[in-house]
Amino acid sequence: MALLEIRVTGDPVLHTVAQPVTDVDDELRQLVADMYETMDKAPGVGLAAPQVGVPLRLFVYSYVDDDDQPWRGVAINPTLWISPADVEELDEEEEAEGCLSVPGERFPLRRAASALLIATDLEGEPVELRVDGWRARILQHEFDHLNGVLYVDRLIMPYSRRAEKAVRKSGWGVPGISWLPGRDDLEG
């Protein structure tokens, strides 16, 4: 296994719709293993293939809930159905979200409370997950990556302005910037 460089906002692969996976082969299995290792080292709770420069519709996720129950998997060619989002005022702490492609920054974002993921796994078997809370947030975040959308693209004022300022101040927003977990200090 190998750590992969994580692309930072501004890289074209992060802002382009990913292509469907057509073959589940040893090369794809190696990519998924490397993505798990990279996500764990970063550390993160999800990582989409475009974040490591691969424009394919797949992501990995890993989360341990408050009851120490691990939740880990891969979603290949996923579709995602979500519940309607609340219209209440954002809770800046409870709804704060981060992204390995916008390292070290966190901003509140309203997400749907529940989600249904339909995908396949590395064996070509169907995966169907009905989740809520943070698990739903993770799936929505990673699914957005497959459609060329970063969470900062969805922010409302004043958080969108703060995110734009943070990106400019960091020198991001241009092609070619990446970081490697364990080597670079971008992980914040």
Side-chain angles (χ1 to χ4, degrees):
M1 292 194 294
L3 291 176
L4 304 171
E5 291 203 358
I6 299 172
R7 306 295 174 94
V8 174
T9 184
D11 194 296
V13 73
L14 295 173
H15 306 285
T16 304
V17 175
Q19 297 301 307
V21 172
T22 56
D23 294 311
V24 177
D25 54 16
D26 288 342
E27 185 177 337
L28 189 76
R29 286 183 185 85
Q30 185 62 56
L31 172 64
V32 169
D34 293 346
M35 287 173 63
Y36 276 127
E37 184 177 359
T38 303
M39 175 185 61
D40 292 343
K41 180 74 173 179
V45 295
L47 186 66
Q51 290 182 274
V52 295
V54 179
L56 292 176
R57 296 190 72 76
L58 79 97
F59 63 81
V60 297
Y61 54 89
S62 181
Y63 179 69
V64 177
D65 66 20
D66 293 337
D67 298 325
D68 289 329
Q69 294 298 311
W71 179 66
R72 191 169 176 92
V74 60
I76 299 172
N77 295 329
T79 57
L80 189 70
W81 300 90
I82 59 173
S83 64
D86 288 336
V87 294
E88 299 170 5
E89 189 172 329
L90 276 171
D91 182 317
E92 290 191 31
E93 288 192 28
E94 289 295 316
E95 295 181 277
E97 195 167 310
C99 180
L100 297 175
S101 291
V102 188
E105 301 296 333
R106 291 183 63 78
F107 300 99
L109 175 64
R110 175 62 37 89
R111 294 281 191 182
S114 61
L116 167 64
L117 174 81
I118 300 171
T120 57
D121 64 17
L122 281 174
E123 281 68 51
E125 296 297 319
V127 173
E128 184 172 311
L129 295 172
R130 292 178 192 274
V131 296
D132 56 15
W134 272 100
R135 292 176 182 194
R137 178 176 293 274
I138 292 166
L139 295 181
Q140 291 169 76
H141 181 110
E142 299 310 323
F143 188 78
D144 272 353
H145 278 297
L146 305 184
N147 293 320
V149 177
L150 298 180
Y151 91 105
V152 293
D153 299 332
R154 292 191 178 277
L155 298 175
I156 61 171
M157 288 291 289
Y159 311 108
S160 59
R161 186 165 311 256
R162 291 179 193 161
E164 289 170 8
K165 185 177 179 180
V167 166
R168 260 193 326 274
K169 182 178 178 186
S170 297
W172 305 333
V174 297
I177 300 173
S178 62
W179 67 281
L180 186 68
R183 180 193 74 192
D184 300 319
D185 64 356
L186 291 179
E187 63 259 7

